[in-house]
Amino acid sequence: MGTCASCGTEFAPLPSRARYCSNACRQRAYRQRTAGTSTVVAELPGYDDAFVGRETELAELLSLLRKHRMLTLVGSAGVGKTRLAVELAGRSRKEVRTVELGKLSRADQVVQAFAEAVGVYQHAGVALRTTLLAELQHRRILLLVDNCEHLVGECCDVVDALLSRCPGVQVLATSREALRAVGEAVYPLHGMEEDAVRLFTERAGVQGDQGAIAAVCARLDGVPLAVELAAKLSRSVPLQELADHLDHRLDLLSDAEEEARHRSLRAAIAWSHDLLTTHEKELFRRLALLPGGFGLDIAQVVHGGAVIGLLTALQAKSLVVRENDGRFRMLESVRLYAEERLREQEEHEVTAERIIRWLCERGEPGVTSSILAPENLRVLHLEYDNVAYAFAHLVAPQDERRLMLATMLLRVCFDRGYFAEAGAVLMHVLGQTSADARYRILALEYASLLAEHEERFDEAVKFAAEAIETAEVGGEHQIMCRLHRTLASAYDGMGDMPNAMQALRQSIEHGVRNGNDVSVAVSRQNLGWCLLSTGEVDDAGVLIEEALPVLRAHSRPDVVAVAVHTWACIALEQGDLKAAGTRFAESVRMSATMPRTVLESVEGRAVVAVLSGRHELGVRLLAACEQLRAAWAVPAQPLWQRKLDGVLDGAREALSRAAFARAVSAGQAMDITHAVETALDKEIVRHTVLSDRQQMVVELVAQGMTNAQVAAKLGISHRTVESHVHNVKAALNLSSRAQLVAWAQSS
C-alpha cells in the first residue's frame, strides 16, 4: 500500500499512479504548484525602494560568485546582507531560488525549506533529503539561502550534501556567522561609508544638510538598517534633534512596517544576542564599557577569565569586529545594546572598576619610571578613547584616579596637537584633589608642561618646582631625573638659560645615581642644545656623542630624531656642511611619519641647501616650514629661529627679488609630504658656489674693511653682512676672518 501525496489516502499504487491515488489528486497537486499555494519561493524577494550604493562590493562579489560554488555574506545585524545578496543574485544568469530560514525554529525544518524553495515534494517512503538531492542532481540553479545564523550546523549539513552530489547547484548564503561548509568563500560585510549619505537622502525623500547627514551616518557606523530607520524618522524630526538623541537610538529607531526581526535596531541585535551561549553573553555585555576597542589583555581582565575562545565566537557571530591593527571593537549600536544587558544583570559597577584599575595600571610608568618607554606611549594612544570614556562615565567624581586618567588624556593630546581642552580638564581635577593624592606629582608635572605649551612660563616653573618638592618629601627618587628636566624646559621657555642648564645638570646627577640611563641620555641631549646656544660647541658635541648610542638603542624615533638634529647643528657650527647635511637627512627620515616633529630637520636641510648655493631650494623649504609651523602652532626655539632668519636673509641677498618671491610662493604651496621628499634631495649638499653678493662681501673683507664699512659700501644692513661672512665661512669650512682673507687672496 502507498499514501497519496495529495490527499493522504492509502491506496495500492499502479505504475501510472505512483504518487497519487487518482487523476483528480494529481491535477489538484499540479494546480497547487502552478498557482503558488505551496510554500515555494519561486522568485527573488521584491523591494519597493531602490538599491543604493555597494558598487565596489557588488563587483567583488560577482567575481567571487564566478569562482566559488559556495559564497557566504557575513555581517552584523542590519548591515544589509539580504538586500545585497538579492541584488547580487538578480545579476546572476542562473535560475535563482530563495531559501528563507529566518522564521524557522527547528533543525528538522531546514531540509523542508530547501525542498519547498525548489518545488520538491515528499515521496512516500523516501526521505525528503534524498528526493531533494535527486531532483537537483541535474539542475543548474543558484540557491540564495537567507538568515542561516540560528541553524548553522543543520544548514551546513544540507549545503555540503548539495554541493557534493549536485554539480549544477551554487549556494549564496547570508548569515551573521560563517557556515564552515566545504569550499565556502566568506565575504565580511561592513557598514557603508560615503554611500550611507546617499542611502539616507534617498530614504528620507528630500535633500538635507549633507554635513549633518554624514555626521548622523558616521554615528550609526553606516549600518544600513540604522541609517534607513533614521532617514524615515527625519521626515518628522529635525536632523539636529535626531543627532542629539542617537545615544538612545535603540528606543528611537524603529518602524512598525518592517518585519519583526528588523522592526527596530534593538530587535535586530537581540536576534544575534539570543543565539549566544551563557558564557558568550557574559563576555558580550562586559565588553560594552570599552568603546575605544580592546585587545585580549583588557578583555580578559574585564571578563575575569580566559576569553580567546569566547571572543572568537563573538567575532564569528558578527557581534565584534576585528580591526586592521588586531584590536577588536563593537559597532556603537551593538555596544549600546550590550550595555543595556550589563545594567540589566547589575554588573556595570564591577566591570567599570576592573576597567578603571587596568587603565590606571597602564599609566603607572609615568608615576614610577624616569622616562616613558615606546611601548608605554603606544598603549596610551591605543587606549585613549577608553580612557576618555572611563573619565567621563565610569570613575566617581571624588575618586583621585581621575588625576591619572586626565593626565593620560593630556599626554596623548600633546602628541596630537590639540591639548587646550584636555589641559583645562586636568587643571580642574588638580584643583579638586587633595595634596596627598597618589597621582598628584604626575599631574603637577603635566600642569607644568601644559603651561609651557601655552607660554605661561612662570606657572610652568612653579608647577615643576612643586612636583619636585612633593617627590622629595615622598621619597620618589626614580622620577627626579625627569622632573628636573621638566623644570629645565620651563626655564628655557622663559629664556633663563643659566637655571635651565643647572636643572639639567641636576637631572643628570639624579639619573646617574638612580641608573636611569635613557633618561640621562635625554637630559644630556637637552643640555647639549643649551651649550650650543651659548657657543660651547665642542662641549655640546661631547654630550651628544655620549647620548646618541643610548637613545638609538632604547628611545622612540622622535626622541632620537631630535638628538640627531642637534648633532647636525653642531656640524653646522663647525663648518662641516657635508656632515650636517647627512645628519639632517637622517633626522628627516626618522621623523618623516611625525609631521610636527620633522619640521626642524627639514629646515636643517634647507639651511644646508642655502649654504651650499642652492638658494631657491632652501627658500622653498623654509617657506613651507614657516607656513606649516603657523598652521600647527609649533613655534621654533629661539636659537634655531635666529639661525633660520640669518640664512633666509642671506638667501634674500643672493637672489633677485623675483626669484626669491617665486621660491617663497612655491614653498607655501607645499604640503608636509612634498616638503619631506624635497628635503631628501641628494643634491642639496654639493660643491660650494658663492653668490655674486657673497663674492663682493668676501672681496671687500679681503681689502681690510670692517663689517660696518662693507655694509655702507654695499648699501645693506650690518646684520646682513654678518650673515654673509658667517655663511661663507661655514660653506668654506673656515673658522676665522683671517682664514677667509687668506682664501680670498689665494683664489
Side-chain angles (χ1 to χ4, degrees):
M1 297 294 289
T3 302
C4 179
S6 177
C7 67
T9 303
E10 290 188 358
F11 73 105
L14 299 174
S16 61
R17 294 202 304 269
R19 295 184 60 197
Y20 305 102
C21 65
S22 65
N23 285 333
C25 281
R26 186 193 307 278
Q27 291 170 2
R28 186 184 304 112
Y30 174 78
R31 286 194 299 271
Q32 286 177 338
R33 289 199 300 274
T34 56
T37 55
S38 74
T39 56
V40 173
V41 181
E43 298 178 355
L44 288 170
Y47 295 94
D48 295 331
D49 47 28
F51 181 82
V52 177
R54 298 287 200 195
E55 286 86 0
T56 299
E57 290 91 335
L58 275 170
E60 293 174 349
L61 286 166
L62 281 168
S63 176
L64 288 172
L65 203 58
R66 287 191 290 268
K67 299 174 184 176
H68 301 277
R69 292 181 61 206
M70 173 61 195
L71 175 61
T72 305
L73 276 61
V74 173
S76 59
V79 80
K81 300 181 293 297
T82 298
R83 189 68 189 268
L84 180 58
V86 169
E87 185 71 17
L88 178 63
R91 301 187 185 194
S92 169
R93 296 181 180 180
K94 292 185 176 182
E95 175 189 6
V96 181
R97 292 290 181 267
T98 302
V99 184
E100 173 54 61
L101 303 182
K103 297 179 180 179
L104 305 187
S105 58
R106 301 194 319 271
D108 59 2
Q109 295 174 309
V110 172
V111 173
Q112 182 179 346
F114 274 84
E116 290 179 345
V118 296
V120 172
Y121 295 86
Q122 180 77 56
H123 288 196
V126 181
L128 182 57
R129 173 168 164 157
T130 301
T131 306
L132 173 68
L133 295 173
E135 175 68 24
L136 295 181
Q137 195 167 9
H138 303 293
R139 285 176 66 176
R140 187 171 179 270
I141 189 171
L142 172 64
L143 299 179
L144 196 170
V145 188
D146 197 25
N147 301 308
C148 306
E149 54 272 348
H150 60 307
L151 295 165
V152 166
E154 297 75 12
C155 187
C156 178
D157 187 44
V158 175
V159 167
D160 279 343
L162 285 169
L163 295 178
S164 65
R165 298 274 299 276
C166 308
V169 170
Q170 188 174 21
V171 176
L172 171 62
T174 73
S175 179
R176 299 186 191 183
E177 67 173 301
L179 272 62
R180 300 176 183 83
V182 175
E184 178 184 24
V186 177
Y187 188 91
L189 191 61
H190 306 293
M192 305 170 85
E193 296 180 359
E194 295 86 354
D195 288 340
V197 176
R198 290 174 52 200
L199 178 64
F200 187 104
T201 302
E202 199 279 334
R203 297 299 188 259
V206 294
Q207 289 286 337
D209 182 339
Q210 296 295 288
I213 292 173
V216 168
C217 292
R219 289 280 306 280
L220 297 172
D221 293 303
V223 173
L225 172 62
V227 170
E228 292 196 16
L229 293 175
K232 292 178 181 179
L233 188 61
S234 72
R235 299 170 188 169
S236 56
V237 177
L239 265 178
Q240 187 55 55
E241 185 177 342
L242 176 62
D244 291 342
H245 287 82
L246 284 183
D247 284 343
H248 306 288
R249 69 190 69 176
L250 298 180
D251 295 314
L252 190 68
L253 301 181
S254 62
D255 186 350
E257 297 176 3
E258 291 285 342
E259 61 169 293
R261 198 156 53 87
H262 283 168
R263 186 166 295 154
S264 72
L265 196 55
R266 177 183 284 109
I269 300 168
W271 170 266
S272 292
H273 173 264
D274 293 345
L275 299 176
L276 299 179
T277 67
T278 299
H279 294 304
E280 289 167 356
K281 288 177 180 177
E282 288 174 352
L283 176 60
F284 171 73
R285 60 179 179 260
R286 291 169 187 173
L287 294 172
L289 302 185
L290 296 170
F294 46 89
L296 290 174
D297 45 6
I298 190 170
Q300 184 162 316
V301 168
V302 167
H303 186 54
V307 297
I308 294 180
L310 297 174
L311 197 54
T312 301
L314 293 180
Q315 182 188 5
K317 294 175 171 65
S318 302
L319 286 170
V320 302
V321 294
R322 192 167 190 177
E323 307 282 38
N324 292 333
D325 61 3
R327 284 166 64 84
F328 298 86
R329 76 177 181 96
M330 288 179 169
L331 298 181
E332 183 62 10
S333 300
V334 174
R335 191 191 68 78
L336 291 172
Y337 179 86
E339 188 172 1
E340 286 186 350
R341 305 287 74 74
L342 188 72
R343 293 184 184 279
E344 184 181 86
Q345 296 296 319
E346 299 182 348
E347 294 177 349
H348 188 279
E349 186 174 336
V350 65
T351 304
E353 175 57 29
R354 289 174 179 175
I355 291 171
I356 296 167
R357 186 168 61 247
W358 187 87
L359 290 174
C360 287
E361 287 172 358
R362 304 287 75 74
E364 192 69 19
V367 179
T368 58
S369 65
S370 189
I371 194 166
L372 285 180
E375 57 270 21
N376 300 140
L377 189 57
R378 180 174 178 272
V379 168
L380 296 186
H381 279 267
L382 283 175
E383 301 299 340
Y384 176 84
D385 290 330
N386 289 329
V387 173
Y389 184 81
F391 182 87
H393 301 286
L394 304 184
V395 69
Q398 68 277 9
D399 193 329
E400 68 178 43
R401 291 176 298 181
R402 286 167 59 83
L403 270 179
M404 169 59 86
L405 298 175
T407 303
M408 293 168 73
L409 293 175
L410 181 57
R411 175 63 187 84
V412 175
C413 288
F414 278 147
D415 287 346
R416 296 181 177 180
Y418 304 99
F419 50 80
E421 183 178 349
V425 169
L426 174 66
M427 296 307 299
H428 177 72
V429 177
L430 186 60
Q432 291 184 324
T433 310
S434 64
D436 60 349
R438 167 159 172 68
Y439 302 118
R440 187 171 179 80
I441 296 171
L442 184 64
L444 286 167
E445 180 185 13
Y446 275 82
S448 175
L449 295 171
L450 173 67
E452 183 186 339
H453 274 75
E454 296 178 342
E455 299 184 0
R456 296 180 284 109
F457 299 114
D458 289 343
E459 291 182 52
V461 169
K462 178 178 74 72
F463 285 126
E466 185 180 348
I468 290 171
E469 181 182 350
T470 307
E472 286 175 342
V473 172
E476 301 287 350
H477 303 297
Q478 284 294 323
I479 60 173
M480 295 300 284
C481 177
R482 190 185 80 215
L483 294 180
H484 277 91
R485 187 166 58 249
T486 301
L487 177 61
S489 183
Y491 277 129
D492 184 28
M494 66 191 306
D496 187 348
M497 193 58 67
N499 271 325
M501 290 195 287
Q502 176 60 24
L504 285 170
R505 289 189 173 99
Q506 288 180 299
S507 172
I508 292 169
E509 288 175 10
H510 281 288
V512 170
R513 187 181 307 130
N514 296 316
N516 307 138
D517 294 343
V518 180
S519 192
V520 167
V522 174
S523 294
R524 281 179 174 152
Q525 127 67 30
N526 292 0
L527 182 56
W529 180 259
C530 292
L531 291 172
L532 189 61
S533 69
T534 59
E536 300 173 71
V537 179
D538 292 339
D539 290 342
V542 171
L543 284 170
I544 295 300
E545 288 177 6
E546 289 176 343
L548 261 175
V550 178
L551 296 177
R552 288 187 193 278
H554 302 291
S555 282
R556 304 189 309 270
D558 59 318
V559 175
V560 183
V562 169
V564 173
H565 176 273
T566 303
W567 192 36
C569 289
I570 292 170
L572 203 59
E573 292 301 312
Q574 293 171 337
D576 190 345
L577 276 185
K578 184 175 182 180
T582 300
R583 294 170 188 178
F584 281 130
E586 180 187 358
S587 184
V588 170
R589 283 189 290 269
M590 294 185 72
S591 55
T593 59
M594 297 167 278
R596 296 163 62 85
T597 303
V598 79
L599 288 177
E600 283 192 344
S601 301
V602 172
E603 289 164 340
R605 291 286 283 179
V607 169
V608 171
V610 171
L611 297 181
S612 297
R614 300 194 68 184
H615 301 97
E616 289 194 40
L617 175 60
V619 172
R620 288 204 304 272
L621 289 173
L622 290 174
C625 291
E626 182 179 21
Q627 181 155 292
L628 290 167
R629 283 188 180 279
W632 297 339
V634 186
Q637 295 185 30
L639 166 65
W640 186 238
Q641 189 61 58
R642 288 194 296 272
K643 168 67 73 176
L644 300 180
D645 291 342
V647 168
L648 199 59
D649 286 343
R652 186 180 287 107
E653 291 293 328
L655 295 169
S656 68
R657 183 175 299 178
F660 186 84
R662 279 197 309 271
V664 169
S665 178
Q668 290 174 342
M670 286 183 178
D671 60 15
I672 187 60
T673 302
H674 188 191
V676 167
E677 291 173 352
T678 304
L680 292 175
D681 180 351
K682 294 181 180 178
E683 294 298 317
I684 277 184
V685 182
R686 66 183 186 186
H687 181 69
T688 304
V689 178
L690 300 185
S691 67
D692 291 342
R693 180 54 63 87
Q694 287 175 330
Q695 191 70 47
M696 293 172 64
V697 169
V698 170
E699 289 174 359
L700 294 175
V701 168
Q703 295 173 18
M705 288 188 181
T706 65
N707 288 352
Q709 291 170 328
V710 173
K713 178 76 174 176
L714 298 178
I716 58 179
S717 70
H718 182 271
R719 180 181 174 188
T720 300
V721 174
E722 286 182 341
S723 175
H724 279 315
V725 172
H726 173 80
N727 291 342
V728 169
K729 287 195 297 182
L732 299 174
N733 198 20
L734 304 175
S735 59
S736 69
R737 195 179 185 90
Q739 288 177 332
L740 178 60
V741 171
W743 179 86
Q745 292 173 345
S746 65
S747 61

